[in-house]
Amino acid sequence: MKNNHFHVNIWLTIPLKSYFLSYRFLQYLPRKRVFHFSEGILTEVNCKRKLSARQMTKGNGEDPKSGSRMERFQQGVRKRTLLAKKKVQSITKDDVKSYLLRNAFVLFTVVAVILGVILGFSLRSYKMSYREVKYFSFPGELLMRMLQMLVLPLIVSSLVTGIAALDSKASGKMGVRAVVYYMSTTIIAVLIGIIIVVIIHPGKGTKENMHREGKIVQVTAADAFLDLIRNMFPPNLVEACFKQFKTNYEKRMFKVDIPPNDTSTVASIINNVSEAMETLTQMKEEMVPVPGSVNGVNALGLVVFSISFGLVIGSMKEQGQALKDFFDSLNEAIMRLVALIMWYAPLGILFLIAGKIVEMEDMGVIGGQLAMYTVTVIIGLLIHAVIVLPLLYFLITRKNPWVFIGGLIQALVTALGTSSSSATLPVTFKCLEEINGVDKRVTRFVLPVGATINMDGTALYEALAAIFIAQVNNFDLNFGQIITISITATAASIGAAGIPQAGLVTMVIVLTSVGLPTDDITLIIAVDWFLDRLRTTTNVLGDSIGAGIVEHLSRHELKNRDAEMGNSVIEENEMKKPYQLISQENESEKPLDTETKM
């Protein structure tokens, strides 16, 4: 035979049952083409056999399927190893230079953090005064002021342009997905905090020997939630740019009527009319809520207004195009300013961290209970940030979460240095849009809302701290009280402002809900400056991963919107063609008119 691989065509006119008998004979042929009838239809089946491989696996007593899987796996490992070797061998000096240039910001920021920690601990031995510490931290204060300067126009312009670029249906779906993600991750964070603090139990012992710092402003839960709703609808947009509504309390005297007694009243009237009036009325002192305000951007009110304004502009179509272009240009200008500030960010972060370490109280005040509390919070935040959030991203998008997180390093380090998710917002925009390539329509909608209401780290911290204070007071919490803590911690984290140590204010609400002493918050203030930076970093990571997940889930709506916009642009261009020709012809006749038109 000239060729070992030959084709055999067999026409099977026998019933289907006998086909299987004949197939037992045909399977030993090296390669064949079999025709058979199945339910009256002539089909062609190509069968390939590797007799040598089968004989080898049979002789070794191995399953051919498992052998082929192992071979494929080994081949894949070999290929990847060879590719990695080739890449390493092909690296040149130019490649190293280009890598360093691309990641210069990230490398400078990481080095700044390390140098800031070293510098801070080195200067602690000099016992600097408060004034000297403030002068030393001045470059870091400048960075905070620069970033906060950009937060207000960035929130408004990004939300308006992001919402206006989508139709109401697409923005509604995106909003629902974002809110579901925010609530899910916040509830998971609260549960992690409760489970960790119950297992580790850092509050063993008494609170007599624990160090206290600062004072706590009392606030009721009802007034705090009403303030949250009031801030959603600011009466003055200009005032909302620098003030938030906050309920204050003051003492007032009230007259309380006493039910009169006939005999005593008549006798007193006879004696003295003035004495009768004193017995009929009695003065009572009471703390009453009065309207007040605190300094700071009312981000929640601006978010609500910007979303509503963007929806209206999007529905106006051609009439709202001028406003769309204005806010789009404003957003682009702000991002270019962010690019300039990024060159100063490493220096500012270095002095922020060094200054805070120098300002820190003596480490000797941190006892065993507070040290265990700090370790417990760090473990909870690590579980949420390193396991839960990347796992959610992988399960939903089926992409490598660490590549995505790698593009966020500069935003995360900035959050660690500034301790403010709002101040980190410009850097987060830059990392997501330029490095990770997330759609701008998604980041402009998800990030400002997330920086305002999505506080995973704060929710975990508040639930954990509340149970720690209960443990310190030897207060046994039942299941209902733990559920109450989880609900109030979730709700209070939404109302926490994106500013340093805002969680301490909302902590009062959580403690009040289960009857714990609010003054015991002073027990944890000594380490709050450090934990606040870690939970802010977790908040920023949660917002960024949320943007990636929402973009993946909304990819079909975004593609459809791109197609619609493409069609509308083509139609618009076709309609404008004759007008453009006329204007070009008349351009030489009316030069002044064309100059005056923008």
Side-chain angles (χ1 to χ4, degrees):
M1 295 176 68
K2 293 181 181 179
N3 191 0
N4 291 329
H5 301 283
F6 58 94
H7 301 276
V8 178
N9 297 333
I10 300 176
W11 293 89
L12 300 176
T13 56
I14 54 179
L16 192 61
K17 289 182 180 179
S18 57
Y19 159 71
F20 294 105
L21 296 173
S22 61
Y23 179 74
R24 294 293 300 274
F25 167 74
L26 293 171
Q27 67 182 348
Y28 293 102
L29 295 175
R31 186 180 178 188
K32 55 206 170 287
R33 182 169 295 168
V34 183
F35 293 87
H36 65 91
F37 284 95
S38 176
E39 297 181 359
I41 301 174
L42 183 65
T43 60
E44 179 178 354
V45 179
N46 290 321
C47 304
K48 295 181 180 179
R49 300 295 303 161
K50 292 184 178 179
L51 293 176
S52 59
R54 168 169 280 193
Q55 288 169 0
M56 286 175 65
T57 52
K58 279 184 179 180
N60 295 330
E62 296 177 359
D63 186 12
K65 291 183 179 179
S66 63
S68 61
R69 284 177 184 172
M70 284 299 296
E71 287 175 4
R72 286 199 299 270
F73 176 75
Q74 290 172 357
Q75 287 175 0
V77 170
R78 289 193 203 102
K79 284 181 181 178
R80 291 187 179 183
T81 307
L82 289 172
L83 286 172
K85 283 182 180 179
K86 287 179 181 177
K87 285 182 179 179
V88 171
Q89 290 172 356
S90 62
I91 292 175
T92 61
K93 290 182 179 179
D94 295 332
D95 294 334
V96 175
K97 286 181 182 178
S98 63
Y99 174 81
L100 292 175
L101 288 173
R102 283 198 312 271
N103 298 280
F105 286 132
V106 177
L107 295 172
F108 285 151
T109 310
V110 172
V111 171
V113 171
I114 297 169
L115 291 177
V117 172
I118 296 170
L119 183 63
F121 280 107
S122 301
L123 293 174
R124 279 182 63 82
S125 59
Y126 289 95
K127 306 292 183 183
M128 297 170 68
S129 65
Y130 182 78
R131 182 185 293 273
E132 290 171 341
V133 170
K134 286 299 175 187
Y135 289 158
F136 176 73
S137 306
F138 182 70
E141 183 186 347
L142 282 182
L143 175 65
M144 286 290 293
R145 297 175 76 88
M146 288 179 189
L147 292 173
Q148 288 170 348
M149 171 185 68
L150 301 178
V151 168
L152 174 63
L154 188 62
I155 287 177
V156 175
S157 62
S158 61
L159 271 174
V160 171
T161 52
I163 297 295
L166 300 165
D167 56 3
S168 57
K169 188 176 179 182
S171 59
K173 286 183 178 179
M174 193 182 294
V176 169
R177 287 165 185 150
V179 170
V180 169
Y181 168 80
Y182 294 153
M183 295 305 298
S184 303
T185 53
T186 304
I187 291 169
I188 291 170
V190 169
L191 293 176
I192 290 171
I194 291 173
I195 291 168
I196 291 294
V197 74
V198 169
I199 291 172
I200 298 177
H201 202 82
K204 289 179 182 177
T206 59
K207 62 180 180 180
E208 278 75 20
N209 297 325
M210 293 184 69
H211 176 74
R212 291 179 181 270
E213 278 186 23
K215 293 181 180 179
I216 298 300
V217 179
Q218 299 295 329
V219 62
T220 62
D223 289 331
F225 286 117
L226 288 175
D227 287 350
L228 183 67
I229 298 171
R230 290 187 186 107
N231 282 319
M232 290 173 66
F233 306 100
N236 189 335
L237 277 178
V238 177
E239 188 181 34
C241 297
F242 55 88
K243 276 189 179 180
Q244 298 181 29
F245 185 91
K246 185 181 182 299
T247 301
N248 294 328
Y249 299 91
E250 66 178 28
K251 293 181 181 179
R252 287 189 182 177
M253 303 297 291
F254 291 95
K255 291 181 179 181
V256 179
D257 293 332
I258 297 175
N261 190 344
D262 292 338
T263 57
S264 62
T265 306
V266 171
S268 61
I269 290 173
I270 294 170
N271 294 327
N272 195 333
V273 176
S274 61
E275 291 180 4
M277 295 300 295
E278 288 177 1
T279 57
L280 287 171
T281 59
Q282 184 179 356
M283 301 301 292
K284 183 182 178 183
E285 188 179 71
E286 187 178 346
M287 295 288 291
V288 295
V290 293
S293 61
V294 291
N295 292 328
V297 178
N298 181 7
L300 193 60
L302 293 175
V303 163
V304 172
F305 170 78
S306 301
I307 290 174
S308 307
F309 196 57
L311 286 170
V312 172
I313 291 176
S315 63
M316 290 172 66
K317 296 183 179 179
E318 288 84 3
Q319 289 180 326
Q321 190 61 42
L323 279 172
K324 276 187 194 176
D325 295 339
F326 167 75
F327 282 106
D328 203 13
S329 300
L330 177 63
N331 187 264
E332 185 64 29
I334 294 298
M335 292 310 296
R336 293 192 181 189
L337 282 174
V338 172
L340 292 175
I341 292 174
M342 283 304 95
W343 286 104
Y344 179 73
L347 183 66
I349 289 171
L350 188 153
F351 283 98
L352 271 174
I353 292 177
K356 199 63 188 179
I357 291 174
V358 172
E359 188 183 356
M360 185 174 59
E361 293 288 335
D362 186 13
M363 299 296 289
V365 302
I366 301 176
Q369 290 169 294
L370 204 55
M372 282 301 297
Y373 163 75
T374 305
V375 171
T376 307
V377 174
I378 292 172
I379 290 172
L381 292 174
L382 281 175
I383 290 172
H384 188 72
V386 178
I387 298 174
V388 174
L389 292 177
L391 186 62
L392 272 176
Y393 182 83
F394 172 74
L395 291 175
I396 295 173
T397 64
R398 296 294 176 182
K399 296 177 184 176
N400 187 351
W402 300 110
V403 175
F404 187 85
I405 294 171
L408 300 169
I409 290 176
Q410 192 173 9
L412 299 178
V413 174
T414 305
L416 186 68
T418 60
S419 184
S420 172
S421 54
S422 295
T424 313
L425 194 59
V427 189
T428 313
F429 268 106
K430 189 174 178 62
C431 290
L432 280 176
E433 293 177 1
E434 297 184 9
I435 299 175
N436 287 342
V438 179
D439 196 302
K440 289 185 178 181
R441 291 168 293 183
V442 176
T443 57
R444 291 175 181 181
F445 173 71
V446 173
L447 285 183
V449 178
T452 308
I453 67 173
N454 184 37
M455 303 285 179
D456 296 345
T458 305
L460 186 150
Y461 168 81
E462 289 181 351
L464 195 153
I467 297 178
F468 169 75
I469 290 171
Q471 291 173 355
V472 167
N473 287 278
N474 294 319
F475 188 85
D476 293 327
L477 296 170
N478 56 37
F479 183 73
Q481 289 172 320
I482 291 176
I483 295 296
T484 304
I485 287 174
S486 64
I487 294 171
T488 51
T490 304
S493 68
I494 297 172
I499 57 175
Q501 296 186 333
L504 288 177
V505 180
T506 54
M507 175 72 68
V508 178
I509 303 169
V510 182
L511 295 179
T512 307
S513 65
V514 288
L516 290 170
T518 54
D519 290 337
D520 285 350
I521 296 176
T522 56
L523 298 173
I524 60 176
I525 289 179
V527 294
D528 187 71
W529 70 271
F530 173 66
L531 297 177
D532 186 34
R533 280 162 163 71
L534 297 182
R535 64 177 183 257
T536 302
T537 307
T538 306
N539 293 340
V540 171
L541 179 63
D543 296 342
S544 304
I545 286 182
I549 289 174
V550 171
E551 185 203 32
H552 178 78
L553 296 175
S554 306
R555 60 192 184 281
H556 300 302
E557 287 87 354
L558 294 172
K559 285 179 182 177
N560 293 336
R561 184 64 178 170
D562 288 338
E564 290 175 7
M565 290 296 291
N567 293 334
S568 64
V569 167
I570 292 169
E571 291 174 2
E572 189 178 349
N573 291 337
E574 288 177 353
M575 292 173 65
K576 286 184 177 181
K577 276 179 184 177
Y579 171 77
Q580 289 173 350
L581 291 172
I582 293 169
S583 64
Q584 288 170 0
E585 289 173 1
N586 297 335
E587 208 166 11
S588 58
E589 297 177 7
K590 297 181 179 180
L592 295 173
D593 189 29
T594 55
E595 287 177 4
T596 55
K597 289 182 181 179
M598 297 299 290

